[in-house]
Amino acid sequence: MTLPTSAEGVSENYWVRSIGTGSAHAKAILLGEHAVVYGAPALALPVPQLRVMASAGWSPAPADDQYDVLFTMTGSASRPMMTEASGSLGRLAAEFKAFVGAPETPNLDVIVDCAIPPGRGLGSSAACARAIVLALADLFGREVSESTTFDLVQTAERVAHGRASGVDARAVGASAPLLFQAGEVQELPIGCDGLFIIADSGDVGRTKDAVELLREGFQRHAGAREKFVRGASDLVEEARGALADGTPKKLGRCLTDNHELLRAAGLSTARIDALVEAALGAGSLGAKITGGGLGGCVIALTQMEQAREVTRRLHEAGAVQTWVVPLRGSGHHAL
């Protein structure tokens, strides 16, 4: 496909035919959130049923911002996300155009259909960014490596959140649970079966506030950061072994212990704690907050026979919606 050098001289039919598409999905952090920013490992789980679809094309209309991009957000998460994400996604589109050497005109028209609720620790901003990168690559007829895609998504993540570890940028394109550390990922051997039930508290998490709260706590108490990072790292390594060895009860204990670590740091809420207690009381092997904290979601490891009761109790405790992600062992690596 030949990229036009200006909006003038492009036939009307060109606008209809020239569309690029891309997609990504949600993620949940199993263990290691916050500590991962300080170089510790983290375990992440793709959530494929919550998806983002992006479409990109040429716009004959003038752009409404500094990046020459018209954005439209649709889907259940559209209104709050569009207000917060326009700056980071505009920067992303500009970075991509610079990467492919595109001329300044014509303007781009990008439509993002997002089913991932924002502010829940499910990677909505990273998933939107990844879907847009893939849609633009399709539109421009360019092959973009996974490392370049990661770098471009990180550009948007840093604008949206400040410091970003990169785990979201990797996990929203993963097809299986992964270990993330310092920008590198490894697929995990899975030796056990089970279900991860994700429960939305309905409260928007405040990642920036949580990061600042944690940082202030580290500054007030000598050695606190080292203790926190070491504790999280040990739990990640223990959980990694439990996944490989097929010991789900041990994995569940790691989840609950990680929640206690995060709660002690002030990152949980009364509603989140109530959801964790509800899941454990209904027979879950382990449960914890997932994501940045101060709201968001809980993730619980549950066996099939307890799943119905766990889900019921989570809703009774205030969950506004739940999703189930299967964990498959015996050599299966795809969700």
Side-chain angles (χ1 to χ4, degrees):
M1 179 179 67
T2 301
L3 179 69
T5 57
S6 66
E8 297 82 4
V10 179
S11 70
E12 184 176 344
N13 289 335
Y14 187 90
W15 307 113
V16 177
R17 291 197 306 268
S18 298
I19 298 175
T21 60
S23 67
H25 53 68
K27 61 83 200 172
I29 301 296
L30 294 181
L31 296 102
E33 51 266 270
H34 286 288
V36 69
V37 176
Y38 298 96
L43 301 183
L45 176 77
V47 183
Q49 61 265 59
L50 290 175
R51 301 196 66 81
V52 177
M53 300 295 298
S55 303
W58 315 117
S59 173
D64 56 3
D65 61 31
Q66 60 179 315
Y67 296 115
D68 300 320
V69 185
L70 287 164
F71 279 105
T72 304
M73 187 81 74
T74 64
S76 59
S78 61
R79 186 174 298 275
M81 281 197 67
M82 193 67 262
T83 301
E84 297 181 6
S86 58
S88 61
L89 297 182
R91 172 70 177 274
L92 171 67
E95 290 282 342
F96 188 94
K97 289 176 73 175
F99 170 73
V100 300
E104 293 184 2
T105 54
N107 297 321
L108 290 172
D109 201 343
V110 178
I111 299 173
V112 181
D113 187 348
C114 181
I116 307 171
R120 304 300 202 278
L122 298 177
S124 59
S125 63
C128 286
R130 180 180 174 87
I132 289 171
V133 168
L134 298 179
L136 292 175
D138 189 27
L139 176 68
F140 283 87
R142 294 291 296 268
E143 293 290 334
V144 180
S145 69
E146 191 60 38
S147 63
T148 298
T149 299
F150 171 78
D151 289 341
L152 289 166
V153 173
Q154 278 294 87
T155 294
E157 285 290 273
R158 282 189 287 267
V159 173
H161 302 300
R163 188 174 182 182
S165 69
V167 63
D168 285 15
R170 294 291 191 192
V172 296
S175 60
L178 57 84
L179 172 75
F180 175 93
Q181 187 170 20
E184 301 298 323
V185 294
Q186 297 178 34
E187 250 188 47
L188 296 168
I190 308 297
C192 54
D193 293 335
L195 298 173
F196 285 110
I197 300 178
I198 301 171
D200 181 1
S201 71
D203 293 334
V204 175
R206 305 189 305 276
T207 300
K208 287 184 177 180
D209 291 346
V211 170
E212 181 63 20
L213 177 69
L214 194 61
R215 187 186 65 81
E216 290 176 353
F218 291 161
Q219 290 177 341
R220 285 195 304 269
H221 304 287
R225 189 179 83 175
E226 291 74 15
K227 182 179 179 181
F228 178 85
V229 172
R230 182 171 60 253
S233 298
D234 290 346
L235 287 171
V236 166
E237 289 304 320
E238 189 175 357
R240 181 184 183 186
L243 274 169
D245 297 341
T247 50
K249 289 184 179 179
K250 183 178 180 181
L251 175 61
R253 286 196 300 273
C254 291
L255 294 178
T256 304
D257 288 347
N258 196 192
H259 177 72
E260 289 304 313
L261 182 68
L262 295 166
R263 188 179 67 82
L267 300 175
S268 189
T269 66
R271 181 172 293 186
I272 290 292
D273 288 342
L275 291 174
V276 168
E277 290 302 319
L280 295 175
S284 284
L285 300 179
K288 64 181 286 291
I289 192 171
T290 179
L294 302 180
C297 292
V298 162
I299 187 166
L301 176 62
T302 305
Q303 294 176 320
M304 186 67 192
E305 52 268 30
Q306 280 82 42
R308 183 186 297 272
E309 179 64 11
V310 170
T311 302
R312 185 183 71 81
R313 293 279 292 275
L314 284 167
H315 282 281
E316 285 183 350
V320 297
Q321 53 189 334
T322 54
W323 305 277
V324 176
V325 183
L327 178 70
R328 300 192 181 110
S330 304
H332 296 287
H333 292 279
L335 293 174

